[in-house]
Amino acid sequence: MTEYGIHASHEQIPPGDLLQAVIAAERAGFDAAMCSDHFSPWSARQGQSGFAWSWLGAALQATNLSFGVVNAPGQRYHPAMIAQAIGTLGSMYPGRFWAALGSGEFSNEHITGDAWPRKEVRDARLRECVDVIRDLLAGEEVSRDGLITVDRARVWTRPETPPPLIGAAVSVETARRSAEWADGLVTVNAPEERLREMISAYRDAGGRGPICLQVHLSWAPSEAEAEEIAHDQWRSNIFTPPVCWDMATAEEFDVVSAGVTVDQVRQVVNISADLERHVEWLRGYAKLGFERIYLHHVGQDLGPFVEAFGAKVLPRLR
């Protein structure tokens, strides 16, 4: 049976409010949760960027939900530090934590002052980071001299079973590459044919584990309000790679998205005041083979969304 979780967007909501939202989501019947891990939002209107790893400890303690985080090791984060963070959360909350690993976005990584590598270099760097993290979580002492330098690192606090490392992919090519190393795949909503291609690319290349989907949506009691929420909060997030990978600041995203229309936002956000329409969308994703679906209401007030979907959407899906 498909699990339905909530996505916690640190770029949009203060961490204290976000914690209360996931507590409410568990009470409303959501099965799980995942969160972003950004240093910068995509828009000044979003206006937040809490530190995901601090928040995860609180969220795991405050609920019984499983939690995942989407992380980019290699520039802003040294992979040994990510292995230590994963090991600590996995030790404290066994079986409830996973990490999705990707090659990153310049808007978060430029803060180090280091050059932003070409995509093929970032992909190779990610692969090295995955190997470092896996070896450290297995209890090995690790040294590396490659795109990543590691000197005699060892993670001392580890769970008996290492948490899953999930591949984060927004392209068919990345989904296929993730099959080499990942314990599952997570992507974002897209047209049905594109999602079929992503799933096939991962499975046909030998990919194992759950296939997960983060669904961007906007719901409100009226269609106009749902549209207004999506346009205000998510119009800077409609851009496909390489644009979304390579811009540096929230202000740059706001400049390039100034002329984006609601119809363009609808291409990446499921916008509707009709809860039955959301049920139909979500059933469609489950039929494609997604085993975990994380709902991301793109508004900054999650209370009405959690209440409405907990009462009227999740029961219809089950």
PDB file of all heavy atoms in Angstrom, residues 4 49 70-71 82 89 107 117 138 188 204 233 252-253 269:
ATOM      1  N   TYR A   4       1.533   7.858   2.401  1.00  0.00           N
ATOM      2  CA  TYR A   4       1.362   9.274   2.088  1.00  0.00           C
ATOM      3  C   TYR A   4       1.952  10.106   3.219  1.00  0.00           C
ATOM      4  O   TYR A   4       1.540  10.007   4.375  1.00  0.00           O
ATOM      5  CB  TYR A   4      -0.120   9.607   1.875  1.00  0.00           C
ATOM      6  CG  TYR A   4      -0.664   8.936   0.641  1.00  0.00           C
ATOM      7  CD1 TYR A   4      -1.277   7.689   0.715  1.00  0.00           C
ATOM      8  CD2 TYR A   4      -0.522   9.521  -0.610  1.00  0.00           C
ATOM      9  CE1 TYR A   4      -1.742   7.046  -0.425  1.00  0.00           C
ATOM     10  CE2 TYR A   4      -0.987   8.880  -1.760  1.00  0.00           C
ATOM     11  CZ  TYR A   4      -1.589   7.652  -1.651  1.00  0.00           C
ATOM     12  OH  TYR A   4      -2.044   7.015  -2.790  1.00  0.00           O
ATOM     13  N   SER A  49      15.120  29.653   5.736  1.00  0.00           N
ATOM     14  CA  SER A  49      16.050  28.587   5.375  1.00  0.00           C
ATOM     15  C   SER A  49      16.667  28.008   6.641  1.00  0.00           C
ATOM     16  O   SER A  49      17.861  28.132   6.897  1.00  0.00           O
ATOM     17  CB  SER A  49      17.133  29.088   4.415  1.00  0.00           C
ATOM     18  OG  SER A  49      17.559  28.042   3.564  1.00  0.00           O
ATOM     19  N   VAL A  70      16.669  15.616   1.832  1.00  0.00           N
ATOM     20  CA  VAL A  70      17.361  15.673   0.539  1.00  0.00           C
ATOM     21  C   VAL A  70      18.609  16.522   0.724  1.00  0.00           C
ATOM     22  O   VAL A  70      18.521  17.712   1.047  1.00  0.00           O
ATOM     23  CB  VAL A  70      16.454  16.262  -0.554  1.00  0.00           C
ATOM     24  CG1 VAL A  70      17.191  16.278  -1.888  1.00  0.00           C
ATOM     25  CG2 VAL A  70      15.167  15.462  -0.671  1.00  0.00           C
ATOM     26  N   ASN A  71      19.768  15.926   0.519  1.00  0.00           N
ATOM     27  CA  ASN A  71      21.043  16.541   0.860  1.00  0.00           C
ATOM     28  C   ASN A  71      21.999  16.482  -0.325  1.00  0.00           C
ATOM     29  O   ASN A  71      21.934  15.561  -1.137  1.00  0.00           O
ATOM     30  CB  ASN A  71      21.646  15.793   2.067  1.00  0.00           C
ATOM     31  CG  ASN A  71      23.044  16.255   2.396  1.00  0.00           C
ATOM     32  OD1 ASN A  71      24.032  15.626   1.999  1.00  0.00           O
ATOM     33  ND2 ASN A  71      23.148  17.342   3.128  1.00  0.00           N
ATOM     34  N   ILE A  82      28.311  14.469   6.846  1.00  0.00           N
ATOM     35  CA  ILE A  82      26.981  13.943   6.558  1.00  0.00           C
ATOM     36  C   ILE A  82      26.859  12.507   7.065  1.00  0.00           C
ATOM     37  O   ILE A  82      25.829  12.112   7.618  1.00  0.00           O
ATOM     38  CB  ILE A  82      26.695  14.024   5.043  1.00  0.00           C
ATOM     39  CG1 ILE A  82      26.613  15.488   4.615  1.00  0.00           C
ATOM     40  CG2 ILE A  82      25.406  13.290   4.690  1.00  0.00           C
ATOM     41  CD1 ILE A  82      25.575  16.305   5.368  1.00  0.00           C
ATOM     42  N   LEU A  89      21.454  10.268  13.789  1.00  0.00           N
ATOM     43  CA  LEU A  89      20.000  10.150  13.716  1.00  0.00           C
ATOM     44  C   LEU A  89      19.577   8.690  13.586  1.00  0.00           C
ATOM     45  O   LEU A  89      18.584   8.265  14.184  1.00  0.00           O
ATOM     46  CB  LEU A  89      19.460  10.969  12.551  1.00  0.00           C
ATOM     47  CG  LEU A  89      19.532  12.489  12.717  1.00  0.00           C
ATOM     48  CD1 LEU A  89      19.054  13.195  11.450  1.00  0.00           C
ATOM     49  CD2 LEU A  89      18.723  12.961  13.917  1.00  0.00           C
ATOM     50  N   SER A 107      22.746  27.796  -5.751  1.00  0.00           N
ATOM     51  CA  SER A 107      22.178  28.746  -4.797  1.00  0.00           C
ATOM     52  C   SER A 107      22.523  28.396  -3.356  1.00  0.00           C
ATOM     53  O   SER A 107      22.570  29.280  -2.493  1.00  0.00           O
ATOM     54  CB  SER A 107      20.656  28.827  -4.968  1.00  0.00           C
ATOM     55  OG  SER A 107      20.045  27.585  -4.704  1.00  0.00           O
ATOM     56  N   PRO A 117      31.406  23.316 -10.088  1.00  0.00           N
ATOM     57  CA  PRO A 117      31.876  22.415 -11.151  1.00  0.00           C
ATOM     58  C   PRO A 117      30.819  22.176 -12.223  1.00  0.00           C
ATOM     59  O   PRO A 117      29.615  22.355 -12.003  1.00  0.00           O
ATOM     60  CB  PRO A 117      32.184  21.111 -10.398  1.00  0.00           C
ATOM     61  CG  PRO A 117      32.265  21.485  -8.958  1.00  0.00           C
ATOM     62  CD  PRO A 117      31.336  22.637  -8.789  1.00  0.00           C
ATOM     63  N   ALA A 138      29.603   1.924   7.546  1.00  0.00           N
ATOM     64  CA  ALA A 138      29.940   0.515   7.755  1.00  0.00           C
ATOM     65  C   ALA A 138      31.025   0.331   8.816  1.00  0.00           C
ATOM     66  O   ALA A 138      31.415  -0.798   9.124  1.00  0.00           O
ATOM     67  CB  ALA A 138      30.389  -0.114   6.441  1.00  0.00           C
ATOM     68  N   VAL A 188      10.286  14.454  -8.284  1.00  0.00           N
ATOM     69  CA  VAL A 188       9.175  15.391  -8.093  1.00  0.00           C
ATOM     70  C   VAL A 188       8.139  15.189  -9.186  1.00  0.00           C
ATOM     71  O   VAL A 188       8.436  14.631 -10.245  1.00  0.00           O
ATOM     72  CB  VAL A 188       9.652  16.853  -8.071  1.00  0.00           C
ATOM     73  CG1 VAL A 188      10.591  17.096  -6.898  1.00  0.00           C
ATOM     74  CG2 VAL A 188      10.346  17.222  -9.385  1.00  0.00           C
ATOM     75  N   ASP A 204      15.093  -0.466 -14.800  1.00  0.00           N
ATOM     76  CA  ASP A 204      15.761  -1.204 -15.879  1.00  0.00           C
ATOM     77  C   ASP A 204      17.275  -1.258 -15.681  1.00  0.00           C
ATOM     78  O   ASP A 204      17.943  -2.178 -16.176  1.00  0.00           O
ATOM     79  CB  ASP A 204      15.447  -0.581 -17.239  1.00  0.00           C
ATOM     80  CG  ASP A 204      13.989  -0.760 -17.637  1.00  0.00           C
ATOM     81  OD1 ASP A 204      13.287  -1.544 -16.975  1.00  0.00           O
ATOM     82  OD2 ASP A 204      13.554  -0.097 -18.598  1.00  0.00           O
ATOM     83  N   GLN A 233       4.289  31.822  -4.141  1.00  0.00           N
ATOM     84  CA  GLN A 233       5.330  31.065  -3.485  1.00  0.00           C
ATOM     85  C   GLN A 233       6.177  30.204  -4.419  1.00  0.00           C
ATOM     86  O   GLN A 233       7.305  29.863  -4.077  1.00  0.00           O
ATOM     87  CB  GLN A 233       4.710  30.171  -2.406  1.00  0.00           C
ATOM     88  CG  GLN A 233       4.314  30.915  -1.166  1.00  0.00           C
ATOM     89  CD  GLN A 233       5.530  31.462  -0.423  1.00  0.00           C
ATOM     90  OE1 GLN A 233       6.350  30.709   0.083  1.00  0.00           O
ATOM     91  NE2 GLN A 233       5.660  32.780  -0.365  1.00  0.00           N
ATOM     92  N   GLU A 252      18.083  36.616  -7.724  1.00  0.00           N
ATOM     93  CA  GLU A 252      18.181  36.266  -9.141  1.00  0.00           C
ATOM     94  C   GLU A 252      16.967  35.454  -9.580  1.00  0.00           C
ATOM     95  O   GLU A 252      16.407  35.688 -10.665  1.00  0.00           O
ATOM     96  CB  GLU A 252      19.468  35.485  -9.408  1.00  0.00           C
ATOM     97  CG  GLU A 252      20.723  36.325  -9.301  1.00  0.00           C
ATOM     98  CD  GLU A 252      21.979  35.520  -9.544  1.00  0.00           C
ATOM     99  OE1 GLU A 252      21.887  34.379 -10.052  1.00  0.00           O
ATOM    100  OE2 GLU A 252      23.066  36.020  -9.213  1.00  0.00           O
ATOM    101  N   PHE A 253      16.548  34.502  -8.759  1.00  0.00           N
ATOM    102  CA  PHE A 253      15.356  33.741  -9.089  1.00  0.00           C
ATOM    103  C   PHE A 253      14.137  34.660  -9.201  1.00  0.00           C
ATOM    104  O   PHE A 253      13.283  34.465 -10.073  1.00  0.00           O
ATOM    105  CB  PHE A 253      15.102  32.664  -8.021  1.00  0.00           C
ATOM    106  CG  PHE A 253      15.885  31.395  -8.216  1.00  0.00           C
ATOM    107  CD1 PHE A 253      17.072  31.183  -7.530  1.00  0.00           C
ATOM    108  CD2 PHE A 253      15.436  30.414  -9.083  1.00  0.00           C
ATOM    109  CE1 PHE A 253      17.794  30.014  -7.706  1.00  0.00           C
ATOM    110  CE2 PHE A 253      16.150  29.226  -9.259  1.00  0.00           C
ATOM    111  CZ  PHE A 253      17.330  29.042  -8.576  1.00  0.00           C
ATOM    112  N   VAL A 269       2.926  22.567 -10.400  1.00  0.00           N
ATOM    113  CA  VAL A 269       2.160  22.507  -9.148  1.00  0.00           C
ATOM    114  C   VAL A 269       0.737  22.071  -9.472  1.00  0.00           C
ATOM    115  O   VAL A 269       0.105  22.623 -10.381  1.00  0.00           O
ATOM    116  CB  VAL A 269       2.126  23.875  -8.433  1.00  0.00           C
ATOM    117  CG1 VAL A 269       1.305  23.779  -7.141  1.00  0.00           C
ATOM    118  CG2 VAL A 269       3.527  24.379  -8.139  1.00  0.00           C
TER     119      VAL A 269
END
